[in-house]
């Protein structure tokens, strides 16, 4: 692992802060703020530990999203909120914005700037790698968050723990 | 009350609830579920077609068998998870305590009157999120400060243009342009260890996360049309972000 324990915890805390920041942008109820922070932090911790173990970023995001999906169910029952309220803000820090950025940048370079044919081939490679990574991370985040619901074939967590 | 009048009133209320849910960023399945729940409390059956901008609903009274069809336009989307949560809670209370139509109406009006977080709180919170993103992608503390202020300016521009009723994609473009211009200064003067990271993360607050996630949940629920619509709006937003970024990069001669 190339990250020390301290930097791992620090980066996870920032992931939690990012989750809360987006939660406030989406106007989550005040009661849910702490839960969003914990879920965002936990998801960040899992993702960065897996990345440190050289796991593919798509698998790592998927695992972290499943963690959010599974944990958000008992939590939503406890504080009486529907699970989407904190599962979506918690996975927002994992949204592949950086890959989207790289994709668009490569496309723009390819279209407007680069003329050297070898470099253009490299750009095509970058466009495909980044855009497909982005696409698969998005799908895995969605499946991960809704995974418990899909498995239990239920539409609501109400009455599930009674 | 006359049964026809009551039916019409119920239909209007249910349409109001479902359009509130769609505007607040619930997926189509949740909007449908909530309508069914409230309708069962009011002894009716509701069948609806929910699209991105319009809801069509036919309501049938269980006792008299009369029906009534109404159409409602959905206003522009403003994500508000508190509304989703409050309506979900209200629907359960309504079932448990067998609410009347007036009780439901009062509760919905109460939910509508609830205030959002003040604008400066949102500004600060989202700016910290931008700094957090910068840390996640490996920026140092100086880069994080650059990301913080770029996000702050970008979101401020978005809020102000929202107040002036600009088109949503123009808003996103302006926000992206101002945020990335500020972060480009960081690259130009080589501030911090990796100024490129600050540039890449300064625009992440605009990424349409809810639209993209909801688009896939809708696709999973076989609400294919709504899923595709949400994906397209997400894509349009990403394009607007990229255009803003690209304009800033051309102006500051960055490649």
């Amino acid at each position: 692992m190339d990250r020390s324990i301290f930097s791992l915890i620090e980066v996870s805390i920032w992931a939690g802060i990012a989750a809360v920041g987006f939660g406030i942008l989406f106007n989550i109820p005040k009661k849910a703020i702490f839960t969003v922070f914990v879920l965002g932090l936990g998801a960040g911790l899992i993702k960065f530990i897996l990345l440190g173990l050289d796991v593919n970023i798509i698998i790592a995001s998927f695992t972290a999203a499943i963690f959010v999906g599974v944990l958000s169910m008992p939590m939503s029952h406890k504080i009486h909120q529907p699970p989407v309220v904190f599962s979506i803000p918690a996975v927002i820090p994992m949204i592949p914005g950086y890959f989207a950025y790289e994709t668009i940048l490569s496309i723009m370079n390819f279209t407007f700037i680069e003329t050297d044919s070898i470099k253009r081939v490299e750009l095509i490679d970058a466009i495909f790698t980044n855009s497909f990574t982005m696409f698969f991370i998005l799908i895995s985040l969605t499946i991960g968050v809704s995974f418990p619901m899909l498995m239990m074939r239920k539409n609501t967590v109400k009455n599930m723990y009674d | 009350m006359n049964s026809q009048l009551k039916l019409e009133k119920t239909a209007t209320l249910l349409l109001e609830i479902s359009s509130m849910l769609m505007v607040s960023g619930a997926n189509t399945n949740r909007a449908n579920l909530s309508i069914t729940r409230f309708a069962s409390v009011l002894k009716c059956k509701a069948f609806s077609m929910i699209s991105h901008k319009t809801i069509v609903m036919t309501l049938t009274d269980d006792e008299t068998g009369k029906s009534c069809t109404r159409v409602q336009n959905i206003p522009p989307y403003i994500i508000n998870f508190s509304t989703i949560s409050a309506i979900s809670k209200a629907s359960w209370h309504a079932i448990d305590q067998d609410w009347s139509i007036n009780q439901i109406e009062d509760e919905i009006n109460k939910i509508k009157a609830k205030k959002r977080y003040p604008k400066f709180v949102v500004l600060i919170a989202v700016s910290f999120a931008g700094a957090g993103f910068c840390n996640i992608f490996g920026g140092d503390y100086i880069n994080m400060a650059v990301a913080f202020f770029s996000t702050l300016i970008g979101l401020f521009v978005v809020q102000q243009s929202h107040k002036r009723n600009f088109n949503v994609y123009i808003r996103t473009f302006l926000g992206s342009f101002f945020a990335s211009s500020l972060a480009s200064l960081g690259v130009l003067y080589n501030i911090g260890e990796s100024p490129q990271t600050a540039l890449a993360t300064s625009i992440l607050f605009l990424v349409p996360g809810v639209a993209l996630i909801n688009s896939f949940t809708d696709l999973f629920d076989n609400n294919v049309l709504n899923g595709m619509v949400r994906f397209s709006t997400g894509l349009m937003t990403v394009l607007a972000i990229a255009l803003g970024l690209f304009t800033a990069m051309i102006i500051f001669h960055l490649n």
Side-chain angles (χ1 to χ4, degrees), chain A residues 10-11 14 21-22 25-30 48 80-82 85 93 95 98 101 104 108 113 142-143 156 158, chain B residues 30 80-82 85 89 92 116-117 125 132-133 135-137 141 144 200 207 213 216 220 242 245-246 255:
Chain A
E10 196 203 345
V11 85
W14 279 109
F22 270 92
L25 182 67
F26 301 150
N27 204 31
I28 51 171
K30 283 199 184 74
F48 288 114
H80 304 292
Q81 312 273 356
V85 169
I95 286 274
Y98 200 81
Y101 165 83
I104 301 286
M108 297 290 190
I113 296 164
T142 330
I143 302 178
T156 165
K158 188 89 174 174
Chain B
R30 176 167 288 276
N80 187 343
F81 281 3
S82 289
S85 164
K89 250 186 255 177
W92 288 114
R116 296 180 72 96
Y117 289 104
F133 272 127
N135 187 293
I136 291 171
F137 289 108
Y141 291 113
M144 282 164 71
V207 169
I213 289 182
F216 280 100
F220 267 107
L245 175 72
F246 197 62
N255 283 321

Side-chain angles (χ1 to χ4, degrees), chain A residues 148-155:
Chain A
M149 294 285 186
L150 290 173
M151 284 297 111
M152 294 192 209
R153 290 170 290 158
K154 291 257 168 78
N155 280 320

Side-chain angles (χ1 to χ4, degrees), chain A residues 20-103:
Chain A
V20 171
F22 270 92
I24 288 179
L25 182 67
F26 301 150
N27 204 31
I28 51 171
K30 283 199 184 74
K31 257 203 235 164
I33 289 180
F34 182 69
T35 318
V36 167
F37 178 74
V38 171
L39 284 177
L41 191 150
L45 202 61
I46 289 176
K47 187 183 150 188
F48 288 114
I49 286 177
L50 289 177
L51 284 183
L53 297 170
D54 282 334
V55 176
N56 182 294
I57 188 163
I58 298 168
I59 313 266
S61 306
F62 184 52
T63 317
I66 288 184
F67 163 82
V68 171
V70 170
L71 213 65
S72 67
M73 291 175 60
M75 283 187 163
S76 78
H77 192 72
K78 207 170 162 199
I79 62 170
H80 304 292
Q81 312 273 356
V84 278
V85 169
F86 34 77
S87 60
I88 290 188
V91 297
I92 290 278
M94 296 191 283
I95 286 274
Y98 200 81
F99 290 101
Y101 165 83
E102 288 285 340
T103 309

Side-chain angles (χ1 to χ4, degrees), chain B residues 2 28 31 52 72 115 124 139 141 158 175 178 191 201 210 213 234 251:
Chain B
N2 178 324
T28 312
H52 196 69
Q72 172 150 335
K115 287 216 166 65
I124 300 295
Y141 291 113
V158 172
F178 278 96
I191 301 169
T201 51
V210 175
I213 289 182
I251 290 177

Side-chain angles (χ1 to χ4, degrees), chain B residues 5-221:
Chain B
L5 265 175
K6 181 185 166 250
L7 203 58
E8 279 171 20
K9 195 178 165 192
T10 314
T12 318
L13 181 65
L14 290 183
L15 279 172
E16 181 69 44
I17 293 170
S18 47
S19 97
M20 270 168 82
L21 278 172
M22 289 298 282
V23 167
S24 306
N27 58 36
T28 312
N29 200 25
R30 176 167 288 276
N32 252 327
L33 263 178
S34 285
I35 299 177
T36 318
R37 252 181 238 161
F38 278 112
S40 76
V41 174
L42 299 169
K43 317 264 181 315
C44 297
K45 276 198 183 59
F47 303 94
S48 49
M49 182 190 142
I50 302 179
S51 77
H52 196 69
K53 302 220 30 136
T54 326
I55 303 176
V56 185
M57 178 197 288
T58 296
L59 198 67
T60 314
D61 196 315
D62 281 350
E63 287 161 18
T64 59
K66 275 187 184 165
S67 67
C68 147
T69 301
R70 283 278 179 283
V71 185
Q72 172 150 335
N73 286 346
I74 304 179
Y77 283 54
I78 303 168
I79 293 158
N80 187 343
F81 281 3
S82 289
T83 305
I84 298 180
S85 164
I87 291 181
S88 158
K89 250 186 255 177
S91 73
W92 288 114
H93 286 286
I95 289 182
D96 288 343
Q97 299 157 13
D98 207 13
W99 283 5
S100 70
I101 182 163
N102 290 329
Q103 265 173 305
I104 297 175
E105 209 171 15
D106 286 347
E107 185 65 30
I108 296 300
N109 285 335
K110 240 184 262 169
I111 293 169
K112 247 196 265 175
K114 271 189 193 161
K115 287 216 166 65
R116 296 180 72 96
Y117 289 104
K119 272 189 179 156
F120 72 91
V121 172
V122 176
L123 266 178
I124 300 295
V126 176
S127 306
F128 269 111
F133 272 127
C134 190
N135 187 293
I136 291 171
F137 289 108
D140 62 3
Y141 291 113
I142 304 170
N143 296 143
M144 282 164 71
V146 173
F148 182 92
F149 285 111
S150 314
T151 308
L152 193 79
I153 297 297
L155 186 61
F156 183 72
V157 169
V158 172
Q159 285 180 348
Q160 291 305 311
S161 49
H162 186 203
K163 217 160 71 185
R164 288 170 177 72
N165 282 329
F166 274 86
N167 171 294
V168 58
Y169 301 113
I170 305 285
R171 239 152 53 201
T172 313
F173 169 78
L174 288 176
S176 158
F177 174 69
F178 278 96
S180 49
S181 299
L182 204 66
S184 296
L185 287 178
V187 181
L188 217 58
Y189 294 107
N190 213 11
I191 301 169
E193 202 179 297
S194 55
Q196 289 285 352
T197 315
L199 176 60
T201 51
S202 66
I203 46 169
L204 287 190
F205 71 100
L206 292 163
V207 169
V210 175
L212 290 177
I213 289 182
N214 270 340
S215 102
F216 280 100
T217 40
D218 271 1
L219 287 174
F220 267 107
D221 294 328

